[in-house]
Amino acid sequence: MQQRFTGTSRYVATPDLMLAVNAAITLGRPLLIKGEPGTGKTQLAQEIAHALERPLFEWHIKSTSKAQQGLYEYDAVSRLRDSQLGDPRARDIANYIVKGKLWEAFESDVQPVLLIDEIDKADIEFPNDLLRELDRMEFYVYETRELVKAKHRPIIVITSNNEKELPDAFLRRCFFHYIRFPDAETMTRIVEVHFPGLKRELLAEALAAFYRVREMPGLRKKPSTSELLDWIKLLVAEDVPPEALRSDDPKKSLPPLYGALLKNEQDVHLFEQLVFLHRRSR
Amino acid sequence: MLVRFFTELRAAGVPVTVPEFLTLLEALKERVAWLSAEDFYYLARTCLVKDERHFDRFDRAFAVHFKGAERLFERFVAEVPKEWLEAAVSRALTEEEKRQIESLGGWEKLLETLRRRLAEQRERHEGGDRWIGTGGTSPFGSRGYNPEGVRIGAGGGNRSAVKVWERREYRNFDDTVELGTRNIKLALRRLRRFAREGAAEELDLEGTIDATARNAGLLDVKLVPERHNAIKVLLFLDVGGSMDAHVRVCEELFSAARSEFKHLEHFYFHNFLYEHVWRDNRRRHTELTPTLHILRKYPPDYRVIVVGDATMSPYEITLAGGSIEHWNEEPGAVWMQRLCAAFPHLVWLNPEPQERWEYTPSIRITREIIGDRMFPLTLGGLDRAIDALKRGTTAGQQAASAPGEEERPA
């Protein structure tokens, strides 16, 4: 029986997420993860590696990343320099092949976890250039005429923030999971995982206040899990009593330290205006 | 097996392909999901659906398909051995909870309730995955009815499996619904991508260095197509009156467009396009821009996006003097035709729901003028509008351009 991923002591996985991860592991397909910013997409790969005790290779994609960089790069410039200086190393082209993350993962002696982070940041052709590599888990190094094959099919986790549509041919080869924003129940578990000693009432009040802020119509950037965790960290550090968070009317007052939850000034203004209006109307 | 489900998914508009379907079967063979409808649902979704916009369609198709097969499972439930339940329950409960159960009437009663509840649940839902039927001779596995289920059952408020897909939580992601700033940006960005293609060539410095190095120092000049990153957009926004209801979505569209396009000119109009537009709503009566200037000033490679509900009295479009705000010498239709003629790349985004278009005469007239280039202001509509902007002239536009060309002042 294969190892199954069931979340870790630091990471709460919902049943559907666990199933998606386990399906991807069992069938050796890449798992594509989407979801609101701050719902722990990147962390997932780290936690899988941690839970299954596998080495983790992280490949962070930028807008300038090329698929080739994940395989290998041929450092032609230093070879030219070496050859002009008469360095004997320059004779062997293999000395100038720099391995990429995918190659490193392919060479791992135990089945590794490979994270391809924010694949949507790259050029539109990027995913297409990786089709064969992800399918067959092998690629060809033209300079040295060498075929690199994966020793073990890596567990591949790909995250996307949806900035670009991914090509269909690529999607067909992946499993897909969308991390929903956690409901209050899951959120309680997440917070408890991160702040085990937290007073129960403070937690309940904080969560209630948090969801009230999230439900405010018209917010540009709704606070997400990672912002909630930051906020609670602040509340604990400042020793805010639970009573300070309680308010019968969500719009009557600003929660303390709200700067951790609202990340843009229009939102803060909107909030303050609403609070002001409601105070006046009383 | 499941082939009918596959075809039904396709009929429901979920773009499933054969390899994906085979992957699902492979996963079932590997027992990734086993004896649990909920697991099966998650597995099928993760294998077959690759875009959260399609989750809702998938949920609906799933519910429809697996409704018919419920009865297969009733007999399994009837045969659940009591010992099995007891064992499962005692494993799951803490000492304290066990005491609680005693106070509720004891084991016997609880298990009876539980059994009844399970039977009820089977009848009601258990979207009858037939594949379980083919393999499932064992009593429902511990994962199918996990200990947690028992505990919840005792406390009331059962969170049943089937509800996961009946909850339809992903309705928001369907691309026929309205949009937020971020979604709009994504849609507009597709227009920008198009703008990068260009004919002119420029020196590729990196490529040249690279090629020269590979060439052992002999110069090898490389050229690449120039990045033509200058898509230019004219945005016309309807303000006031019936547009008040759509102010938010227009605001979002505007802010997204502002950050996506370097060359964006925006103008406001009221209800329909006449001889004047304005840039600033606070100074709309003092600082007017003649429409004629716009036609002359901006070259035809500008993309024009008109945002308006086109909902008004038909006279406001077709008659001179029809405007509700001022006396217009020429009917709005003429001005619209001129705009179409001057800018072949034009679309109209309408925040009114598309169903209502047929019943609003002014929308029909507007569509006749601009050709078949009115799109609903939803994510899907915006996508199609961007496609239309890329393609440029459509058949409808050609017809409208002829009179406009003649009337266009030199």
Side-chain angles (χ1 to χ4, degrees), chain A residues 162 165 172 174 176 180, chain B residues 17 46 50 52-53 170 186:
Chain A
N162 227 357
E165 298 257 337
R172 268 208 303 281
C174 300
F176 173 68
R180 283 179 48 77
Chain B
T17 60
T46 199
K50 301 299 163 68
E52 68 276 13
R53 281 179 293 179
Y170 291 93
L186 294 180

Side-chain angles (χ1 to χ4, degrees), chain A residues 227-243:
Chain A
E227 271 121 29
L228 172 70
L229 295 178
D230 284 347
W231 184 53
I232 290 180
K233 211 182 282 175
L234 279 176
L235 291 179
V236 174
E238 295 282 320
D239 215 5
V240 176
E243 298 78 47

